[in-house]
Amino acid sequence: MPKVGQEPARRAALVSATISEIGQTGSLDVTVGQIAKRAGMSTALAHYYFSTKDAIFLAAMRHILTEFGRLVRTRMASAVTPIDRLNAIIDASLSREQFADEIVAAWLVFYVQAQHSPEAGRLLRVYARRLHSNMVHNLSMLVPRDRAWDIAEGTASMIDGIYIRHALQDSAPDRPKARALVRDYLRLTLAEIGVRLERAH
Amino acid sequence: MPKVGQEPARRAALVSATISEIGQTGSLDVTVGQIAKRAGMSTALAHYYFSTKDAIFLAAMRHILTEFGRLVRTRMASAVTPIDRLNAIIDASLSREQFADEIVAAWLVFYVQAQHSPEAGRLLRVYARRLHSNMVHNLSMLVPRDRAWDIAEGTASMIDGIYIRHALQDSAPDRPKARALVRDYLRLTLAEIGVRLERAH
Amino acid sequence: MPKVGQEPARRAALVSATISEIGQTGSLDVTVGQIAKRAGMSTALAHYYFSTKDAIFLAAMRHILTEFGRLVRTRMASAVTPIDRLNAIIDASLSREQFADEIVAAWLVFYVQAQHSPEAGRLLRVYARRLHSNMVHNLSMLVPRDRAWDIAEGTASMIDGIYIRHALQDSAPDRPKARALVRDYLRLTLAEIGVRLERAH
Amino acid sequence: MPKVGQEPARRAALVSATISEIGQTGSLDVTVGQIAKRAGMSTALAHYYFSTKDAIFLAAMRHILTEFGRLVRTRMASAVTPIDRLNAIIDASLSREQFADEIVAAWLVFYVQAQHSPEAGRLLRVYARRLHSNMVHNLSMLVPRDRAWDIAEGTASMIDGIYIRHALQDSAPDRPKARALVRDYLRLTLAEIGVRLERAH
DNA sequence: AATGAATGAGCCTTCATTCAT
DNA sequence: AATGAATGAAGGCTCATTCAT
């Protein structure tokens, strides 16, 4: 019997190496060689597990999205009210894990990748849509449907914007401040409709 | 007749070609050859005017930023109240010119470029800072300083987020809706402090 | 039950797979992987049985040559006159088995292989020489020795040429026509010397 | 003005290098690097003139076919009778230029290439068809049409066969002998129909 | 006997950049 | 000012071959 069961470990190593490499160089100009080296194997082996460079990238994207999805679900599990759930989404987006420099840089790069890789675009769009409908669902319990749509869009945009600015600037707001910013937006939009909730702490 | 004084025209052609090419492919994987061809000249000539590929990219970024700056200034000129000026900034960001698919795609790409090109980063940061202080300045006439900082950041983030989402999705909000979203954010944050302004139309 | 005595079967499978693969792609650009897959085993195993890719190719050539030799011998067994025996050789060369598209393509490829693989060259030369002397032997009973040599060469050339053209063209003569062509050549050359034989049907 | 007019020379050098390289190694496993080196330039430049490796090969084939075509036309120009013209074709095929080891080896390789490169196949088929109809045309003046077709096919096959055998064997007939062989075939087939022509010298 | 895992070497191709004219 | 010509350096991918189990 051959040396077996290496596949999951190797694939994981490659995915992780890809994210690190992209995150650190902050660009898509990452060679399979760099990735493989960081993952501790030859380029040939990288191609053995992922037939193509694009496949590696997609796997890395999928990993980040999945990780994020898992995080959202975890945080939402312990929430009871719709508002708690909305805040859970915000907090997950701006959690220590997701807001790590490396991850944020990778996100940005993937957004660009999505502009010309149909598959990457699909992936990102699916995630965005899911998140959106999740928010709309919870918002609908508090405000009219059409307003819910707007608020969800506004919240998501602000989060994405914070990401993009974080990737670029040192002077960008830190995690707590960023969270407060988004929570505040939510609070205000809801307050207008008459939904009262305590000030974001 | 010697072809003299061609330099500005050639440079402009290259810059414009660069933006188009990047905007249309939605990526930085744009060769000097493609740019030169679109600009109607040889690669050698492109290198004659811009010593390096990076220089071309930087010039293109500079152009977009300058263009945007000009637009903001124009719109602000006819504004009288601080609020008018703030809305002018928002409107400039989401104007037909800036919100064109091609331009938005280019912006996104430049953000990524800024992650590993120090010069590009500096450029983008200067622009962001300028815009930020511009907003803070106007906001300070209406709300306390620290609050002004937050609102400026929130507004800018939302705009950037809208850009990023526009680049990716077909279902992203259109221009008028996007503008309403941001204006609304502004209105609400100000209203909380007691500043009353008419509802965004 | 230990899988014992698998060797001959495995080798045969590989040889057959090699011929099919070469015959179908019509080129030497056949990977060990393709061959092994078609033979239903791993590349590693293919290398276990044949230490090297060249060895696989040589075995395949040897197989085709052997198969052809067997065919010639079989057909000649039931022939009585020299002319019958000569026709048997022609018929064997253009038999349904040998004239199959796949086999013809493989032949052609092996001819090329022989140009730079000394071993392959030797193999092919041995076969050619044997066939030649076989024909010369039979022809010598009918015509002078030097004439016999020429006729043998002419016949063999024509057959080889028919192969090459068959590999290339759809409009090449079909099997019966091809056989008639070669038999006719033989008949005419012999007739000139005074040997009379009935017209090829 | 740039260093100009290099194109024809460079292309010719590459074509010639390709033929030499293929002819000498006797295989299609010839790298662009080898070709470029022999032609005295970098691989990049080779790709500058021929976008693709296949394009180089096709150009080489085209060159050989063109050269051969030219040779046939030249030889036929000084021929008066149909028989002279037929012999001119034979002689051209077995001329010193075409029968050079290198050229013959290249022919064989191209035949294989034609098996999986549609474009190469087309090229070779066009040439074969042209030669065939040329022969048929001349033969038709001497024998019935259907017989003409057969004789043309037989002659062409014999020539092709001689090539293939020449590529492989040292003991293959030399040029004069080869020519005599084919001319003899022609003489005999025609003689049968009653066309008398002097013995091939 | 059998195979998944692993790799070094190599090939085609692209590209930014330079040079000669 | 302008460009065809030229190249070094790299990158993605393939493949024969070997190894460990």
Side-chain angles (χ1 to χ4, degrees):
Chain A
M1 286 244 213
K3 189 175 173 186
V4 89
Q6 295 295 63
E7 178 146 358
R10 291 296 197 181
R11 289 179 89 101
L14 283 167
V15 161
S16 154
T18 304
I19 294 170
S20 295
E21 204 68 29
I22 288 182
Q24 267 176 28
T25 66
S27 92
L28 273 171
D29 291 338
V30 169
T31 68
V32 174
Q34 286 164 27
I35 294 171
K37 188 172 191 179
R38 187 186 279 255
M41 67 189 89
S42 66
T43 21
L45 195 55
H47 276 98
Y48 176 68
Y49 285 114
F50 290 98
S51 48
T52 231
K53 188 190 179 179
D54 269 346
I56 303 183
F57 276 151
L58 285 175
M61 276 191 65
R62 223 173 263 124
H63 178 77
I64 285 194
L65 296 178
T66 305
E67 243 7 71
F68 175 65
R70 194 193 317 282
L71 192 65
V72 170
R73 246 174 290 121
T74 306
R75 301 238 171 180
M76 294 233 297
S78 54
V80 277
T81 71
I83 289 178
D84 284 351
R85 281 199 285 275
L86 289 165
N87 280 328
I89 291 177
I90 295 172
D91 290 0
S93 300
L94 300 171
S95 67
R96 204 184 307 282
E97 297 96 313
Q98 289 291 310
F99 212 56
D101 284 5
E102 201 179 274
I103 303 294
V104 170
W107 268 101
L108 184 47
V109 167
F110 286 144
Y111 263 98
V112 169
Q113 172 81 338
Q115 282 194 114
H116 63 268
S117 158
E119 190 62 31
R122 210 169 305 141
L123 230 55
L124 225 44
R125 249 173 266 125
V126 165
Y127 135 82
R129 218 170 283 149
R130 203 174 292 165
L131 198 62
H132 185 79
S133 68
N134 196 336
M135 294 186 76
V136 169
H137 174 70
N138 283 293
L139 283 165
S140 295
M141 297 175 182
L142 306 168
V143 300
R145 265 234 151 236
D146 62 337
R147 192 73 192 122
W149 200 97
D150 287 354
I151 299 174
E153 192 62 28
T155 308
S157 293
M158 194 176 276
I159 291 173
D160 280 356
I162 286 172
Y163 263 74
I164 216 181
R165 296 170 76 77
H166 179 75
L168 183 64
Q169 296 176 303
D170 14 272
S171 63
D174 58 6
R175 238 161 43 74
K177 188 143 211 158
R179 210 177 47 175
L181 218 52
V182 184
R183 278 183 174 234
D184 235 45
Y185 169 67
L186 190 60
R187 182 178 56 79
L188 286 170
T189 48
L190 293 181
E192 188 187 31
I193 317 284
V195 180
R196 175 106 324 163
L197 51 158
E198 79 263 49
R199 185 87 184 247
H201 51 117
Chain B
M1 251 198 300
K3 276 191 183 172
V4 89
Q6 287 290 40
E7 175 148 359
R10 293 291 198 183
R11 291 177 85 100
L14 284 167
V15 161
S16 155
T18 304
I19 294 169
S20 296
E21 204 68 28
I22 289 182
Q24 267 177 26
T25 66
S27 90
L28 273 170
D29 292 337
V30 168
T31 70
V32 174
Q34 285 164 27
I35 293 171
K37 186 172 192 180
R38 189 187 277 252
M41 66 190 88
S42 67
T43 21
L45 195 55
H47 273 94
Y48 176 73
Y49 284 116
F50 291 97
S51 52
T52 213
K53 188 188 179 179
D54 270 347
I56 304 182
F57 276 153
L58 285 174
M61 276 189 66
R62 223 173 263 124
H63 178 78
I64 284 198
L65 296 178
T66 306
E67 230 25 55
F68 175 65
R70 192 192 319 281
L71 193 64
V72 170
R73 245 172 292 122
T74 306
R75 300 236 172 182
M76 293 233 295
S78 55
V80 276
T81 70
I83 289 180
D84 283 352
R85 281 198 285 275
L86 288 166
N87 279 329
I89 293 177
I90 295 173
D91 291 359
S93 301
L94 300 171
S95 67
R96 205 183 307 282
E97 297 95 314
Q98 290 292 310
F99 212 57
D101 283 4
E102 199 179 277
I103 303 294
V104 170
W107 269 100
L108 184 47
V109 166
F110 286 144
Y111 263 99
V112 167
Q113 172 80 338
Q115 283 194 117
H116 64 270
S117 158
E119 190 63 31
R122 210 168 305 141
L123 230 56
L124 224 43
R125 251 174 265 124
V126 166
Y127 135 82
R129 220 170 282 148
R130 200 174 295 165
L131 197 62
H132 185 78
S133 68
N134 196 337
M135 293 186 77
V136 169
H137 173 71
N138 282 292
L139 283 164
S140 295
M141 297 175 181
L142 306 168
V143 300
R145 261 228 155 245
D146 62 336
R147 193 71 191 123
W149 199 98
D150 287 355
I151 298 176
E153 192 63 30
T155 308
S157 293
M158 194 178 275
I159 291 173
D160 281 354
I162 286 172
Y163 264 73
I164 217 181
R165 296 170 76 77
H166 179 74
L168 182 65
Q169 294 177 300
D170 14 270
S171 64
D174 58 6
R175 235 158 48 72
K177 188 144 211 160
R179 211 177 47 176
L181 218 52
V182 184
R183 278 180 173 236
D184 234 44
Y185 169 67
L186 190 60
R187 182 178 56 79
L188 285 171
T189 49
L190 294 181
E192 189 187 29
I193 317 286
V195 181
R196 173 110 323 163
L197 51 159
E198 80 263 48
R199 186 90 185 243
H201 53 118
Chain C
M1 251 198 300
K3 275 191 183 172
V4 89
Q6 287 291 41
E7 176 147 359
R10 293 291 198 183
R11 291 178 86 101
L14 283 167
V15 161
S16 155
T18 303
I19 294 169
S20 296
E21 204 68 28
I22 289 182
Q24 267 177 25
T25 67
S27 90
L28 272 171
D29 291 337
V30 169
T31 70
V32 176
Q34 286 164 27
I35 294 171
K37 186 172 192 181
R38 189 186 276 251
M41 66 191 87
S42 67
T43 19
L45 196 56
H47 273 93
Y48 177 73
Y49 284 115
F50 291 97
S51 51
T52 214
K53 188 187 179 180
D54 270 348
I56 303 182
F57 277 153
L58 286 174
M61 277 189 65
R62 224 173 263 124
H63 178 79
I64 284 197
L65 297 178
T66 306
E67 226 31 50
F68 175 66
R70 192 191 319 280
L71 192 65
V72 170
R73 245 171 294 122
T74 306
R75 302 238 172 179
M76 294 233 296
S78 55
V80 277
T81 71
I83 287 179
D84 284 350
R85 281 199 285 276
L86 288 165
N87 280 329
I89 291 178
I90 295 173
D91 290 359
S93 300
L94 299 172
S95 68
R96 204 183 308 280
E97 297 95 313
Q98 290 292 309
F99 212 56
D101 283 4
E102 199 180 278
I103 303 295
V104 170
W107 269 100
L108 183 47
V109 167
F110 286 143
Y111 264 99
V112 168
Q113 172 80 337
Q115 282 194 117
H116 64 270
S117 158
E119 189 63 30
R122 211 168 306 141
L123 230 55
L124 224 44
R125 251 173 266 123
V126 165
Y127 134 82
R129 220 169 285 146
R130 201 174 296 164
L131 198 63
H132 186 79
S133 68
N134 195 337
M135 293 186 76
V136 170
H137 173 72
N138 282 293
L139 283 164
S140 295
M141 298 174 181
L142 306 168
V143 300
R145 263 232 152 239
D146 63 337
R147 193 72 191 122
W149 199 97
D150 287 355
I151 298 175
E153 192 62 28
T155 309
S157 293
M158 194 177 276
I159 291 173
D160 281 355
I162 286 172
Y163 264 73
I164 217 180
R165 297 171 76 78
H166 179 74
L168 183 65
Q169 294 177 301
D170 13 271
S171 64
D174 59 5
R175 234 158 49 72
K177 188 144 211 159
R179 210 177 48 178
L181 218 52
V182 184
R183 279 183 174 234
D184 234 46
Y185 169 67
L186 190 61
R187 182 178 56 79
L188 286 171
T189 48
L190 294 181
E192 189 187 29
I193 317 287
V195 181
R196 174 107 325 165
L197 51 160
E198 82 263 50
R199 185 90 184 245
H201 54 118
Chain D
M1 286 243 212
K3 190 174 174 185
V4 87
Q6 295 295 62
E7 178 147 357
R10 292 295 198 180
R11 289 179 90 100
L14 283 168
V15 161
S16 153
T18 303
I19 294 169
S20 296
E21 203 69 27
I22 288 182
Q24 268 177 26
T25 66
S27 91
L28 272 172
D29 292 337
V30 169
T31 68
V32 175
Q34 286 164 28
I35 294 171
K37 187 172 192 179
R38 187 185 279 252
M41 66 190 89
S42 67
T43 25
L45 195 54
H47 276 97
Y48 176 69
Y49 286 113
F50 290 98
S51 48
T52 231
K53 188 189 178 179
D54 270 347
I56 303 182
F57 276 150
L58 286 174
M61 275 190 65
R62 224 173 264 123
H63 178 78
I64 286 196
L65 296 178
T66 306
E67 246 1 76
F68 175 66
R70 193 192 319 280
L71 193 65
V72 170
R73 244 172 294 123
T74 306
R75 303 236 170 181
M76 294 233 297
S78 55
V80 275
T81 71
I83 288 177
D84 283 350
R85 281 198 285 275
L86 288 165
N87 280 328
I89 292 177
I90 294 172
D91 290 0
S93 301
L94 299 171
S95 67
R96 204 184 308 282
E97 297 95 313
Q98 290 291 310
F99 212 56
D101 284 5
E102 199 179 275
I103 302 294
V104 171
W107 268 100
L108 183 47
V109 167
F110 287 143
Y111 263 99
V112 168
Q113 172 82 336
Q115 283 195 111
H116 63 269
S117 159
E119 190 62 30
R122 209 168 308 141
L123 230 57
L124 225 44
R125 249 173 266 125
V126 166
Y127 135 81
R129 219 170 284 149
R130 202 173 294 164
L131 197 64
H132 185 79
S133 68
N134 196 336
M135 294 187 76
V136 170
H137 173 71
N138 283 292
L139 283 164
S140 295
M141 298 175 181
L142 306 168
V143 301
R145 265 232 153 237
D146 61 337
R147 192 72 192 123
W149 200 98
D150 287 354
I151 298 175
E153 192 62 29
T155 308
S157 292
M158 193 176 276
I159 291 174
D160 281 354
I162 286 172
Y163 264 74
I164 217 180
R165 297 170 76 78
H166 178 75
L168 182 66
Q169 295 176 305
D170 13 273
S171 64
D174 58 6
R175 239 160 44 74
K177 187 143 212 159
R179 211 177 47 176
L181 218 51
V182 183
R183 279 182 173 236
D184 235 46
Y185 169 67
L186 189 60
R187 183 178 55 80
L188 286 171
T189 49
L190 293 181
E192 188 188 30
I193 317 286
V195 181
R196 175 108 325 166
L197 51 159
E198 79 264 49
R199 184 87 185 247
H201 54 120

